[in-house]
Amino acid sequence: FFFSSRRRHTRLTSDWSSDVCSSDLRKARRLALQIMYEMDCSGHSMEATFVYVRGYIHQEQSSKDFAVELVRGAWGHRAWLDQVIHRHAQEWPLTQMPYIDRNILRIAIWEFGVYGHTPLKVAINEAVELAKRYGSESSYRFVNGVLGALAAKENDVRQMLLSNIDIGAIEA
């Protein structure tokens, strides 16, 4: 289930919470990616996967909480996120896109497009670092290209997502 990294990555910052340091946020993103990868590959439900990985998680509670929030948001609304990805990576059908790449994109788009507490540049940088660490040799360029195209349309992407996703249901 858990995959290993190929490279070491640099430390970046985020604005998730003043109580959580950037390394905790990075760990949370890695955990969210691992959980989403498991669900995407196996077809297991979100709740079943959470139960399964509970024994493997040895992180601060704040990291776990943020990871769960990312997974619930990005996985729970992947149909809308996938539409955004498809519009900006038409040469790569989602069914042919590597699991890692599409889940990294889902997390990043969720963070800057819906979640709103992560600045666009931070979401892109963190996604590129995840792609360098877990993806293929070309993953980071692909992820950067798709997110770079979205960056130019940040407000349009955010409007489309927010008009189709019930934020009240997410926060409840």
Side-chain angles (χ1 to χ4, degrees):
F1 159 76
F2 286 96
F3 44 88
S4 64
S5 65
R6 291 184 307 112
R7 297 186 189 119
R8 229 180 138 156
H9 58 283
T10 58
R11 186 178 171 110
L12 301 172
T13 61
S14 178
D15 291 331
W16 181 62
S17 169
S18 60
D19 298 335
V20 182
C21 70
S22 62
S23 66
D24 287 342
L25 296 174
R26 174 160 291 137
K27 289 175 189 174
R29 288 181 185 98
R30 284 195 314 245
L31 179 58
L33 178 61
Q34 291 171 339
I35 291 168
M36 289 175 61
Y37 179 84
E38 165 71 14
M39 292 186 302
D40 213 5
C41 290
S42 69
H44 294 148
S45 71
M46 188 182 322
E47 295 308 319
T49 304
F50 285 153
V51 169
Y52 176 73
V53 301
R54 209 170 268 136
Y56 296 98
I57 300 173
H58 305 290
Q59 295 184 13
E60 296 298 320
Q61 189 62 44
S62 58
S63 292
K64 292 179 200 177
D65 292 344
F66 186 52
V68 167
E69 188 168 359
L70 287 174
V71 172
R72 287 193 191 283
W75 187 259
H77 298 89
R78 68 190 177 280
W80 291 108
L81 299 171
D82 288 354
Q83 284 184 25
V84 172
I85 295 167
H86 174 71
R87 288 181 188 165
H88 295 88
Q90 292 180 356
E91 66 282 357
W92 276 97
L94 282 164
T95 56
Q96 294 177 6
M97 193 178 295
Y99 292 118
I100 291 294
D101 296 358
R102 72 177 170 220
N103 284 299
I104 290 171
L105 290 169
R106 287 169 176 161
I107 291 168
I109 295 167
W110 174 259
E111 276 197 82
F112 82 78
V114 180
Y115 182 67
H117 298 287
T118 305
L120 174 66
K121 289 181 180 181
V122 172
I124 292 172
N125 288 339
E126 290 291 320
V128 168
E129 291 302 322
L130 283 171
K132 284 179 179 178
R133 184 170 180 150
Y134 296 113
S136 69
E137 288 295 320
S138 61
S139 288
Y140 76 94
R141 287 188 297 272
F142 173 71
V143 166
N144 190 52
V146 173
L147 294 176
L150 289 171
K153 301 172 185 172
E154 177 184 4
N155 290 330
D156 294 339
V157 170
R158 186 172 286 126
Q159 278 295 91
M160 188 280 265
L161 288 170
L162 292 176
S163 67
N164 290 296
I165 294 175
D166 182 4
I167 300 302
I170 296 165
E171 294 174 351

